[in-house]
Amino acid sequence: MSGDAVPSTSPGDADDTAAPIDAVALAIAGHPIPVASFGDFRTAARDLIVRRVPPESVQWSGSETPHGDLLSAGNAGLAPMLPAGLLEQPPAPQPRIPRTLMEMLQSAACYRAPDRWGFLYKIVWRWQLGQQEILSMADEDGARLQHMVKAVRHEEHDMHAYLRFRERPPAAGDPRFVAWFEPAHDVLPQVAQHFAKRMGKISWMIGTPEATVLWDGKRLHGTGPLMRSAADVEDSGEALWLTYYRSIFNPARLNADIMHGHIRTRFWKNLPEAAVVPHMVSQAAAGARKVGQLDTVGKRTGTTIPIAAEKAAPERQQPSSLDDCRRCDLWQNATQAVAGQGARRAKIMLVGEQPGDQEDLAGKPFVGPAGALLDKAMDEAGMDRRKVYITNAVKHFKWEPRGKRRLHKTPAQKEVMACHYWLETELETIAPDIVVALGSTALKSILQSGSVTMKDYMGQPFQHDGRWIVVTYHPSYALRVPSAEARHEAVAAIVEALKTAQRLADGEAPGKL
Amino acid sequence: MELNDKLEILADAAKYDASCASSGAPKRSSEGKDGIGATNGMGICHSYTPDGRCVSLLKILLTNFCIYDCQYCVNRRTSNVPRARFTVDEVVKLTVDFYLRNYIDGLFLSSGIIQSADYTMEQLVAIARELREVHQFRGYIHLKTIPDADPALIDAAGRYADRLSVNIELPTQDSVQRLAPEKSVHTIKLAMGNIRLKLDEKEAEPKAPKFAPAGQSTQMIVGADASDDQRILTTAETLYGSYKLKRVYYSAFSPIPQSPKSVPLAPPPMLREHRLYQADFLLRSYGFQVGELLPAAGNLALDIDPKLAWALANREHFPMDLNRAEPAMIARIPGIGLRNAKRIVELRRMRQVRYADLVRLKCSMKKIAPFIVTADYRPARDTTPSEALRRSMADVQQQMPLWPELQAA
Ligand code: SF4
């Protein structure tokens, strides 16, 4: 495993001064190529590929049998001959292995299988021949490669999850935490890095049957096996864990099969919590599952809390009657009703359609992108937002789910009519002289008619119920139109309408407009 | 009271909350730093209890004293359970100790409501603050937010926690009013909306102070009221859309000691919770809509999974030719997951997809066979009526109730 922080403990690496292995020479001689690490394999494989040595002609010996793979040693004399004339050929180009494949090879190299190096070489060889399908699960070798990678990752994951540290008494010095684990593949170096990140400057040691790593708080050190079994450390902290483990289990949901399906059997013997499982299961089966509670909790005397129901409820702002409105169904999927906002005695009232996504969360009208556009338009028209009253024809946001987003939906006329009650109330209290209808929903609400259309009223203020009505686009229409030009026109029309409203408010008769 | 006794009571009291995942936090490491803890973004289950649920976080209540009277909850004020309360330091110590021994990936803390929503929330925030600031703890923290608390406190919680959750608890406003009279759907929604606004702000302004990087989630209890699955999933869909939740957790109502008459005596079938989880996954990851999975009021089928149910109800899409179908549609074939759908699409760029390829991809052949066409295969049964197919494909084993004795009771 190149780049690992833990020095490999296998004999191949221990001898740093040894001359590099001449893989090609060994292959010619029919000897197995000794490989102790992924680095060794990489070098050897590169030399072999360059000399075009086919996989059938190479034997490998792996690190788990330091004295040579028995099988290949026995077969040494029978090594397939290299194809004649091979060495006379010009060398092949250096193999170019993409990173994803290199990472897969590196992972698969941790998989304990007697033929792992030979298999990996076959993969490299096939890749060099242009057989890209080895990356696919649908290829036989590809499937095996992926299977190995997956098994190694799985083992790493399990070791992250099911390794248990025990704390040594402070007087015993470093390492403060000790763990024992029996991994099925050579994943200790990677896993050690995981724990180095987790434990900061606290020292620890992990023993496995094959090797040991020690973290001194700064650096990882690797060595051969030091321990033979689970850490022989008394750790009183473990009792708390067992209490927690027993208590967080819900007997009403007993499903031991799933538990066993998740944690592989071979880990159980080193998990402290495994010891309490049989008792928990039998207890649950014997009746605790009826109440879902740990029986020791049930045996204690309990307390009810003496507080009157009225006192228990928190003081909340009384929901306004608007918040409680159920005149139509729109309240259901909205966060809150959004009332109008602005000056109490405003001369001008702007009426939009309905709150949007942002307005629904903030509880204020026109705060989203359409609000920003409206603000700009008001600025341009010389209208002071603080002096007007801004509201919507419909007070709850109507929408439809689109994945994780809310898609605005135009309110139906019956919702507009239901909600007109609230607009009416606002019109009465604010009593504006001029109402600007932003878009067709607003216009329909103001005129209480589903059949009116914008184009009949655009650009010409008219009187209705004793006030001036000015009609223009809704700002979000301007945001929606595709062409920049049309958008420009729409904004200009809104600005123009706001100016008209402002002039009317300033007492100019419409005739002079 | 001894720490051990408190732990017994306050873990027992916390186990009814289904949320547990520790994924979604940004990568953090303590290598070479003071303090402890790392996150890899993916989260790990550290153990499984005999209920088959994973332990990835220390899940406890700060206290199970509670002035609310939610009928489905074992800690309601009228319940006579043993009560306990941790100190801030005790929770911190337990978290750090458990973390160092590699039992957990972090803390999931919630609490009964004591004194007031603000007071309770302050305590929760104090624990997270002490873990992060005093102990420089870089593991995962999930805080259950008290919806009525001051938004400033929720803001503070989001600075320390990886995930915040506000539990909606029940799928309809009526049920909440009836079974959790002190709660208010209105304030729950407002709290969720407030968290979403903060998350949006942070997204728009990366330099803004950190806020709950693993997002927000919620939990719904299934089977404590009469809501059907369509109602439950519609509520979930609404919440996902409105508040950009990472997850909605479904927790089958568990029988509680001295259960009040307002809640059922028996739990719903556990399988219902699982089917909801599957359906929810289809909503989140496959682009299904509730209306497709459950076009009318009612529950999801228990004998077959929701994707198979959808396929059987929409036979006009099948059999689907794997060499031609839209990639998104391939993932809708029963027995083909997202990953295999991707692999099939990759493979067919190189060559025709054949039946044997699917076997090698370890697709569930029994399930997919009636729904696919490959270069060398066409189902003989593509006109078999859906009902007959369903009978042959139903998972008979799963039809049995999980607790026969309870269902009979
Ligand atoms: S949209 Fe209007 S009428 Fe409908 S519920 Fe909301 S406030 Fe009431």
Side-chain angles (χ1 to χ4, degrees), chain B residues 61-374:
Chain B
L61 295 190
L62 172 63
T63 175
N64 66 340
F65 285 96
C66 188
I67 57 175
Y68 286 11
D69 204 30
C70 307
Q71 302 293 289
Y72 47 79
C73 177
V74 68
N75 305 314
R76 67 193 186 282
R77 69 168 177 271
T78 53
S79 162
N80 68 346
V81 286
R83 310 264 177 187
R85 178 179 177 178
F86 281 127
T87 64
V88 170
D89 285 344
E90 284 168 338
V91 175
V92 169
K93 180 187 151 45
L94 277 173
T95 309
V96 169
D97 284 0
F98 279 16
Y99 192 87
L100 284 170
R101 289 176 176 79
N102 200 40
Y103 302 151
I104 53 163
D105 251 15
L107 173 68
F108 174 23
L109 185 64
S110 65
S111 180
I113 314 280
I114 39 173
Q115 293 188 27
S116 70
D118 280 355
Y119 175 79
T120 311
M121 194 68 213
E122 268 163 27
Q123 299 290 304
L124 298 179
V125 171
I127 288 168
R129 182 191 302 119
E130 181 148 328
L131 273 169
R132 291 284 196 236
E133 288 182 353
V134 180
H135 294 263
Q136 307 210 23
F137 177 70
R138 295 179 193 86
Y140 196 85
I141 299 181
H142 178 162
L143 291 184
K144 179 96 88 55
T145 316
I146 314 290
D148 281 299
D150 186 336
L153 284 167
I154 296 181
D155 205 7
R159 275 204 293 283
Y160 301 114
D162 289 296
R163 171 168 289 183
L164 296 178
S165 57
V166 184
N167 284 358
I168 185 94
E169 305 290 18
L170 295 164
T172 70
Q173 176 137 332
D174 286 348
S175 299
V176 174
Q177 249 158 30
R178 201 164 47 81
L179 297 178
E182 288 84 13
K183 289 191 175 150
S184 138
V185 170
H186 188 62
T187 54
I188 290 170
K189 282 179 169 182
L190 286 178
M192 287 179 174
N194 191 17
I195 293 174
R196 197 202 119 185
L197 279 177
K198 289 268 159 35
L199 290 167
D200 285 357
E201 250 168 50
K202 172 69 194 162
E203 202 181 285
E205 185 56 73
K207 286 202 204 85
K210 184 173 114 109
F211 188 86
Q216 66 169 327
S217 61
T218 194
Q219 166 174 277
M220 241 187 285
I221 299 169
V222 177
D225 68 348
S227 303
D228 64 12
D229 290 351
Q230 196 209 30
R231 182 70 251 163
I232 290 171
L233 289 171
T234 306
T235 300
E237 194 174 48
T238 305
L239 296 174
Y240 278 127
S242 302
Y243 310 116
K244 298 194 181 152
L245 300 183
K246 280 278 156 41
R247 276 288 297 278
V248 174
Y249 290 92
Y250 305 90
S251 169
F253 171 68
S254 266
I256 53 175
Q258 271 108 49
S259 179
K261 289 211 178 55
S262 46
V263 290
L265 287 169
M270 280 288 288
L271 201 49
R272 185 170 171 210
E273 179 188 293
H274 184 61
R275 292 292 183 231
L276 282 166
Y277 166 80
Q278 290 177 316
D280 186 272
F281 192 65
L282 295 177
L283 301 183
R284 275 183 291 137
S285 307
Y286 286 74
F288 276 93
Q289 299 206 326
V290 176
E292 292 177 284
L293 298 175
L294 277 172
N299 287 339
L300 295 163
L302 289 180
D303 59 336
I304 50 174
D305 68 72
K307 202 159 119 185
L308 179 55
W310 174 81
L312 289 174
N314 294 273
R315 288 292 289 284
E316 69 277 12
H317 296 293
F318 302 102
M320 206 184 284
D321 186 342
L322 291 180
N323 286 301
R324 286 158 206 268
E326 287 284 317
M329 286 305 281
I330 293 181
R332 286 190 165 212
I333 301 172
I336 298 186
L338 287 175
R339 182 134 32 118
N340 271 342
K342 206 172 139 229
R343 284 176 176 153
I344 289 167
V345 174
E346 270 162 20
L347 180 65
R348 79 182 187 187
R349 279 197 207 109
M350 297 188 248
R351 59 170 173 75
Q352 291 270 297
V353 177
R354 318 187 130 256
Y355 190 81
D357 295 326
L358 305 170
V359 178
R360 270 195 294 268
L361 289 175
K362 298 207 168 60
C363 294
S364 155
M365 299 314 289
K366 179 185 159 210
K367 228 182 208 178
I368 82 175
F371 298 105
I372 53 156
V373 169
T374 63

Side-chain angles (χ1 to χ4, degrees), chain A residues 260-275:
Chain A
H260 284 289
H262 279 294
I263 310 182
R264 285 185 264 185
T265 341
R266 64 193 162 92
F267 299 132
W268 281 104
K269 69 173 178 190
N270 289 322
L271 287 174
E273 59 265 33

Side-chain angles (χ1 to χ4, degrees), chain A residues 8-258:
Chain A
S8 165
T9 55
S10 43
D13 264 17
D15 195 356
D16 279 346
T17 52
I21 305 156
D22 185 344
V24 179
L26 287 170
I28 291 171
H31 289 308
I33 300 167
V35 168
S37 68
F38 186 70
D40 289 355
F41 166 76
R42 208 172 153 169
T43 320
R46 193 175 44 223
D47 293 351
L48 293 166
I49 288 276
V50 169
R51 295 309 327 179
R52 300 176 201 275
V53 182
E56 316 78 78
S57 310
V58 195
Q59 293 183 63
W60 303 80
S61 72
S63 57
E64 59 276 320
T65 46
H67 303 296
D69 185 297
L70 284 179
L71 245 176
S72 52
N75 287 341
L78 304 172
M81 299 279 285
L82 284 183
L86 189 73
L87 292 176
E88 278 85 74
Q89 289 183 24
Q94 292 267 344
R96 299 180 68 90
I97 308 286
R99 221 176 83 196
T100 44
L101 179 57
M102 185 56 90
E103 280 166 5
M104 286 172 77
L105 294 171
Q106 200 166 341
S107 269
C110 303
Y111 187 96
R112 286 187 197 148
D115 65 338
R116 64 177 121 168
W117 304 117
F119 173 71
L120 295 186
Y121 183 58
K122 185 177 170 199
I123 296 279
V124 175
W125 176 261
R126 286 189 59 197
W127 176 263
Q128 185 74 348
L129 293 180
Q131 298 177 14
Q132 305 204 354
E133 62 268 30
I134 54 163
L135 286 179
S136 165
M137 275 291 272
D139 180 87
E140 207 174 306
D141 289 331
R144 184 175 175 209
L145 178 67
Q146 299 212 13
H147 165 77
M148 288 165 81
V149 169
K150 212 168 132 193
V152 166
R153 295 219 176 111
H154 205 150
E155 195 66 18
E156 275 176 43
H157 166 273
D158 284 349
M159 197 163 166
H160 292 168
Y162 306 127
L163 175 138
R164 300 284 180 260
F165 279 113
R166 286 183 166 159
E167 187 170 24
R168 301 171 73 224
D174 287 338
R176 269 187 61 198
F177 288 87
V178 178
W180 168 256
F181 200 83
E182 295 169 22
H185 300 294
D186 298 339
V187 296
L188 181 59
Q190 297 92 305
V191 170
Q193 287 181 8
H194 167 84
F195 285 104
K197 288 185 187 131
R198 211 176 138 95
M199 304 284 270
K201 292 180 179 165
I202 293 170
S203 61
W204 51 262
M205 186 172 95
I206 301 174
T208 73
E210 299 78 25
T212 310
V213 298
L214 178 86
W215 169 255
D216 61 14
K218 289 195 190 81
R219 217 163 283 116
L220 287 164
H221 305 272
T223 144
L226 286 182
M227 306 156 68
R228 283 182 182 248
S229 67
D232 200 10
V233 178
E234 283 290 314
D235 180 359
S236 56
E238 216 160 81
L240 281 174
W241 166 240
L242 297 185
T243 297
Y244 175 70
Y245 187 78
R246 274 190 295 254
S247 314
I248 200 65
F249 158 59
N250 186 342
R253 304 173 59 109
L254 177 69
N255 197 340
D257 290 349
I258 294 192

